[in-house]
């Protein structure tokens, strides 16, 4: 196991971040990297729920296995994880607000590893938005691992 521990964060933890978690884990595995990946939300509205059906079907179309129970960010995440990656600026601001003084994780926009673009919330839109989220998660997973995991092969 490498020492990378990555937490992907969105609002509800049922659409974007569980997909990001599943895609990053898959991309890392295909690179021969054994990293720990989890996801959570800044809000608790959906705590305990499985991912949105549109996230599950989009992952299935791309042969990505996904299994997650939604949870909210907690203080200990800031010391348990090495990287906390926010889907958009609003969630990044929420993370900064609850970040404890002793935080050791790097907390940033996931898009900062590529193009500084947010992953737009697909919840109120159609299935196409979920395919866009998937493509972004794939590009961002590669960009992230290109920058942080080059010397962490197991
Ligand atoms: P997520 O999407 O943050 O990508 O999981 C959302 C899920 C639920 C809600 C908003 C966004 N909601 O308002 O309940």
């Amino acid at each position: 196991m490498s020492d990378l521990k990555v937490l992907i964060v969105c609002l509800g933890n049922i659409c974007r971040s569980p997909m990001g978690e599943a895609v990053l884990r898959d991309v890392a595995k295909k690179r021969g990297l054994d990293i720990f990946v989890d996801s959570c939300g800044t809000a608790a509205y959906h705590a305990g729920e499985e991912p949105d059906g549109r996230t599950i079907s989009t992952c299935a179309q791309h042969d990505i296995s996904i299994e997650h129970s939604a949870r909210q960010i907690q203080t200990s995440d800031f010391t348990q994880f090495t990287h906390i990656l926010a889907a958009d600026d609003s969630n990044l601001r929420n993370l900064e607000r609850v970040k404890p003084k002793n935080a050791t994780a790097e907390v940033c926009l996931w898009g900062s590893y590529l193009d500084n673009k947010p992953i737009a919330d697909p919840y109120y839109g159609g299935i196409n938005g979920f395919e866009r989220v998937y493509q972004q998660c794939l590009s961002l997973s590669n960009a992230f691992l290109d920058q942080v995991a080059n010397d962490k092969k197991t």
Side-chain angles (χ1 to χ4, degrees):
M1 176 73 78
S2 85
D3 51 3
L4 271 182
K5 291 188 184 148
V6 186
L7 183 65
I8 310 290
V9 185
C10 64
L11 179 63
N13 193 211
I14 54 169
C15 299
R16 292 165 290 178
S17 62
M19 192 187 300
E21 173 195 340
V23 172
L24 178 59
R25 186 180 292 120
D26 187 72
V27 170
K29 192 173 164 204
K30 285 175 177 153
R31 289 183 180 216
L33 295 166
D34 187 13
I35 69 174
F36 183 77
V37 190
D38 192 11
S39 66
C40 71
T42 54
Y45 327 125
H46 296 280
E49 293 179 19
E50 65 171 23
D52 187 283
R54 296 163 294 177
T55 281
I56 293 174
S57 64
T58 302
C59 283
Q61 277 179 1
H62 293 281
D63 253 332
I64 304 288
S65 59
I66 179 164
E67 198 183 324
H68 184 73
S69 174
R71 71 169 180 92
Q72 189 176 25
I73 186 84
Q74 56 192 37
T75 306
S76 59
D77 289 326
F78 291 90
T79 47
Q80 295 291 320
F81 287 87
T82 57
H83 295 78
I84 299 182
L85 306 178
D88 60 28
D89 291 304
S90 149
N91 284 296
L92 180 58
R93 279 193 300 276
N94 288 337
L95 286 172
E96 293 292 354
R97 211 164 28 232
V98 296
K99 184 169 114 174
K101 282 205 168 66
N102 67 341
T104 48
E106 168 163 353
V107 182
C108 63
L109 188 72
W110 197 4
S112 70
Y113 286 89
L114 184 64
D115 51 13
N116 281 316
K117 289 190 179 150
I119 304 175
D121 184 350
Y123 186 62
Y124 293 105
I127 191 76
N128 289 350
F130 286 75
E131 174 62 22
R132 273 196 297 279
V133 170
Y134 169 78
Q135 295 298 340
Q136 250 182 311
C137 288
L138 186 59
S139 305
L140 291 173
S141 293
N142 279 305
F144 175 74
L145 292 175
D146 283 348
Q147 288 182 48
V148 304
N150 278 338
D151 56 350
K152 296 212 166 68
K153 281 210 190 282
T154 50

